[in-house]
Amino acid sequence: MIPSEVSDISDRDLQLLEQEIEKRESLPHLYGVTLYKWQHDFIENTKRDSLLLAANQIGKSTCQIIKCIRYATEPDLWKKLWVRKPATLWYLYPSLKLATMEYNEKWVKELLPRGKYKDHPVDGWKSLVKNYVVQSISFNSGVTLYFVSYSQREADIQAMTVSAVFTDEELPQNFYSELQARLRAVRGYFNMVFTATIGQEFWRRAFEEKGDKETFKDAWKRQVSLYDCKKFVDGSLSQWTTKRIREEIDRCGSEREVQRRIYGRFVREDGA
């Protein structure tokens, strides 16, 4: 026997329900990740510069990938961010080998549109992989995302106009000026999520200085520790209990590593 609450649903309503379920299952970047508040804030803010300094393995790359996919596939968002439709995005990793690993394990398996939405007229996408190394993702929206490596020469990233740049892990300072030049013509957006493993003074000043010495004064900036990950934005609890965090603190090799990898602080190699 069909329950009354089900039998009362019309064929049209059932079709709409099935479509909504399929949409939620096929767009994991929108519906498949339960976010912390700091992840939600990073994704939603529209500052031209967004800098997230965070502990290890807490989802900083995940929220940046989500933001990148949204920038590539949401025409309504384009109207708020740019004066004309974006065409090119860049996503930078320390190496293209790492980019390929992240592409296979995070982008494809966890976050990119799937199922019927893999061929959707806006959300759909195709990737270009050469010699087992990912090069780009072309979205059916008309936006192309290129993967770029920190190890590439500055000359290799010149002459192209880019609507937004996403950098994963601490960007070498010499790259920053060239990236800004690529963004300037279209008033583009710069995003970086990282743990301060290199410890460059340029980025340290953005987070640890105030007043005249502070860099990126107008940017959206956030320092995130494991203690900021104890519950999600919807109020539900995460795996990061106080006991679990203390366990990870005890496993760090030094106080410097605790500050960097647990508390998300900017710690230079000289201990400052």
Side-chain angles (χ1 to χ4, degrees), residues 9-236:
I9 298 177
S10 67
D11 290 343
R12 176 58 178 165
D13 288 340
L14 184 58
Q15 183 182 28
L16 291 174
L17 178 60
E18 290 173 346
Q19 289 175 353
E20 181 64 23
I21 292 173
E22 181 179 52
K23 180 178 180 180
R24 288 182 172 274
E25 291 178 345
S26 300
L27 297 175
H29 71 287
L30 294 180
Y31 304 108
V33 181
T34 303
L35 299 172
Y36 300 115
K37 186 178 186 305
W38 57 266
Q39 290 178 307
H40 173 270
D41 292 346
F42 176 82
I43 294 168
E44 294 295 333
N45 95 84
T46 56
K47 286 275 193 176
R48 285 194 66 194
D49 297 301
S50 298
L51 305 178
L52 179 65
L53 174 61
N56 286 115
Q57 300 297 311
I58 60 174
K60 58 184 183 293
S61 296
T62 295
C63 68
Q64 180 163 253
I65 294 171
I66 290 172
K67 189 173 186 178
C68 181
I69 296 173
R70 287 190 58 190
Y71 275 28
T73 59
E74 294 190 18
D76 288 342
L77 186 59
W78 301 344
K79 299 173 186 176
K80 301 176 183 178
L81 298 175
W82 297 284
V83 295
R84 63 175 184 266
K85 175 184 173 180
T88 304
L89 308 178
W90 282 359
Y91 204 103
L92 282 78
Y93 283 103
S95 69
L96 288 180
K97 179 179 180 180
L98 178 59
T100 303
M101 292 171 59
E102 291 283 286
Y103 166 76
N104 288 325
E105 298 301 320
K106 287 185 180 176
W107 291 77
V108 176
K109 289 185 179 180
E110 298 180 10
L111 296 169
L112 280 167
R114 60 185 62 155
K116 289 184 179 180
Y117 277 78
K118 174 71 164 58
D119 299 313
H120 187 274
V122 175
D123 298 309
W125 57 276
K126 293 181 180 179
S127 61
L128 175 62
V129 178
K130 290 185 178 180
N131 298 321
Y132 306 103
V133 176
V134 66
Q135 306 292 316
S136 63
I137 300 174
S138 296
F139 291 90
N140 290 348
S141 65
V143 175
T144 300
L145 169 69
Y146 293 94
F147 291 96
V148 180
S149 166
Y150 296 175
S151 61
Q152 291 179 237
R153 298 179 307 159
E154 291 177 60
D156 295 335
I157 63 171
Q158 293 176 348
M160 185 178 289
T161 297
V162 184
S163 296
V165 167
F166 301 85
T167 60
D168 198 307
E169 294 306 343
E170 189 176 346
L171 178 73
Q173 182 183 342
N174 64 296
F175 256 75
Y176 177 72
S177 295
E178 188 58 46
L179 292 179
Q180 283 298 320
R182 303 302 106 226
L183 296 167
R184 190 165 295 128
V186 292
R187 196 181 178 275
Y189 294 81
F190 175 80
N191 303 267
M192 181 167 70
V193 298
F194 70 115
T195 301
T197 53
I198 301 177
Q200 298 166 92
E201 177 67 8
F202 181 69
W203 301 117
R204 186 196 71 81
R205 289 169 55 194
F207 286 93
E208 303 292 345
E209 296 286 355
K210 301 297 179 186
D212 293 340
K213 292 184 178 180
E214 180 184 4
T215 55
F216 293 90
K217 292 181 181 181
D218 296 326
W220 183 95
K221 295 185 286 189
R222 189 72 56 84
Q223 284 180 280
V224 179
S225 81
L226 283 179
Y227 287 98
D228 296 310
C229 303
K230 297 176 75 172
K231 65 179 181 179
F232 297 106
V233 71
D234 63 6
S236 60

